[in-house]
Amino acid sequence: MAAKTAYENYLNDTTLPETGIDALLEVLKLRQDGDDTFVGDSIDFVGPRVFGGQVLAQALLSAAYTLEYDKPCHSLHGYFLRGGDIRLPITYQVRRLRDGRSLSAREVIAVQYVEGLDKNGQKVTKEQVIFSMIASFSPMEGGLEYQGRMPSYPAPETLQTEQQLKHTLVDKVPEPLKLRFMRERPIEMRPIHPQDPINPAPTYPRHAFWVRAYKLGEQPVAIHQAVLAFISDYYLAGTSLLGHGLTLTTPGMQMASIDHSMHFHRPFDVTEFLLYDMWSDTTSHAKGLNHGQFWQNGHLVASTQQECLMRKHPVTDA
């Protein structure tokens, strides 16, 4: 009963923070706390647990800040180990694994310090690891070039924004969820084949969005990559639900990201429209595997892959 009351209070919260691009940039401002250690704060992007995209972005920046030479990231591989609490700061501990002539590798461990009880019932502060990542950095250089063909979708100018579409759906949303449902995201999204989040129908598990952070302003490459990592966690896990006619709001649905990888192939500008094309090729053993590609001006600029936990629990009236 206490857990249910806490959830109801959460749904009825009318003091939701701003989540525009300025709020995102503020979250990306990390504080240095000793050698190769950085601290970041959180805001409620998706709920009381820290948004996975936020952790990806902050971890990537913390690793980039330890480089002696400015190198963009070319790949990262991370594991979400526990849900983070948005009320607590996150400490990013960076380990320098390698600094070669071209490649630099970093390990990042994200921890939160929570109060708990020891075996004698005494209050103690415990370190909880919520995320781990290895990232590799390398300067852009010439070489062999190949890519597939960019998928053909309607241009972003012909599509409604996610926020405009929300206004057409808000009457279907349960009253306690409407305030949260209508909040604007820090980035602009234009769905190409909008899904009904309340009454979805099974469909081929592929969807795409045009995305941009057009109010970002002039920023270094590390920020552009961090923002793209942030964006990459939106809707990726939910792709594996499309074939089942389910969404994250389906009663009894439990979902959590397990891991997340990202490869940066070519330069891009996150203030201009990028196509985020996503698909799922399998769901099994309570897990789904999802893939994504970012395209800009005909160029494949980044690829993503994520495995998620997905369980459909029976719903009772109790």
Side-chain angles (χ1 to χ4, degrees):
M1 182 62 69
K4 182 178 180 181
T5 301
Y7 180 66
E8 289 172 346
N9 291 339
Y10 159 69
L11 291 181
N12 293 318
D13 185 4
T14 58
T15 59
L16 296 175
E18 292 293 327
T19 54
I21 191 64
D22 291 338
L24 175 57
L25 287 174
E26 193 64 30
V27 163
L28 296 181
K29 292 180 181 177
L30 304 180
R31 306 181 296 278
Q32 188 158 6
D33 184 26
D35 293 338
D36 296 346
T37 301
F38 303 87
V39 179
D41 296 317
S42 305
I43 64 172
D44 176 359
F45 286 111
V46 296
R49 288 193 172 186
V50 180
F51 176 47
Q54 176 200 307
V55 180
L56 286 167
Q58 289 179 330
L60 179 56
L61 281 177
S62 67
Y65 288 157
T66 67
L67 298 173
E68 294 182 9
Y69 303 100
D70 189 18
K71 300 176 183 178
C73 179
H74 70 88
S75 69
L76 63 84
H77 300 262
Y79 277 88
F80 298 102
L81 304 174
R82 291 183 180 87
D85 188 334
I86 61 171
R87 299 170 297 179
L88 300 174
I90 305 173
T91 299
Y92 295 91
Q93 303 166 350
V94 183
R95 183 184 177 193
R96 305 187 187 211
L97 301 180
R98 181 177 189 268
D99 276 308
R101 187 173 302 175
S102 60
L103 295 171
S104 292
R106 297 291 186 268
E107 179 185 41
V108 183
I109 304 297
V111 303
Q112 287 189 312
Y113 296 94
V114 300
E115 290 189 356
L117 300 177
D118 63 16
K119 61 182 180 181
N120 298 317
Q122 300 297 314
K123 284 187 178 181
V124 294
T125 299
K126 299 180 179 179
E127 180 183 272
Q128 283 194 346
V129 178
I130 66 170
F131 179 76
S132 70
M133 182 181 81
I134 291 181
S136 185
F137 299 79
S138 176
M140 296 286 183
E141 58 181 279
L144 300 175
E145 281 277 338
Y146 170 79
Q147 65 169 41
R149 182 176 296 179
M150 179 175 174
S152 178
Y153 288 116
E157 295 79 10
T158 67
L159 303 170
Q160 288 184 299
T161 67
E162 182 189 50
Q163 200 63 28
Q164 290 170 330
L165 290 168
K166 284 181 180 180
H167 284 284
T168 68
L169 295 169
V170 67
D171 290 339
K172 299 181 180 181
V173 177
E175 193 62 39
L177 289 173
K178 286 184 177 180
L179 183 64
R180 182 167 294 279
F181 177 78
M182 291 303 299
R183 276 203 308 171
E184 291 193 38
R185 300 194 193 276
I187 43 93
E188 180 183 336
M189 306 183 75
R190 296 185 180 230
I192 292 172
H193 298 296
Q195 304 292 319
D196 186 336
I198 308 303
N199 298 300
T203 184
Y204 184 75
R206 183 168 196 152
H207 60 158
F209 296 79
W210 289 99
V211 295
R212 63 175 175 175
Y214 67 100
K215 295 181 180 179
L216 183 67
E218 188 173 347
Q219 300 289 345
V221 171
I223 293 294
H224 280 258
Q225 291 194 326
V227 172
L228 199 68
F230 176 89
I231 294 171
S232 72
D233 199 37
Y234 275 125
Y235 290 105
L236 187 55
T239 308
S240 54
L241 294 177
L242 296 177
H244 303 281
L246 303 171
T247 71
L248 293 171
T249 61
T250 299
M253 196 69 228
Q254 176 193 1
M255 286 203 76
S257 301
I258 298 174
D259 65 1
H260 193 108
S261 68
M262 195 163 187
H263 289 82
F264 298 94
H265 309 301
R266 295 174 177 86
F268 60 90
D269 183 349
V270 81
T271 68
E272 302 293 334
F273 275 118
L274 296 109
L275 174 67
Y276 191 16
D277 188 36
M278 293 167 277
W279 67 94
S280 175
D281 46 25
T282 183
T283 60
S284 63
H285 299 286
K287 298 176 186 68
L289 185 63
N290 306 286
H291 313 267
Q293 292 180 331
F294 284 99
W295 297 82
Q296 189 169 68
N297 299 324
H299 300 294
L300 177 61
V301 300
S303 300
T304 61
Q305 182 172 286
Q306 184 182 88
E307 187 176 43
C308 64
L309 178 73
M310 45 188 299
R311 295 186 178 126
K312 180 68 170 64
H313 300 287
V315 178
T316 64
D317 295 331

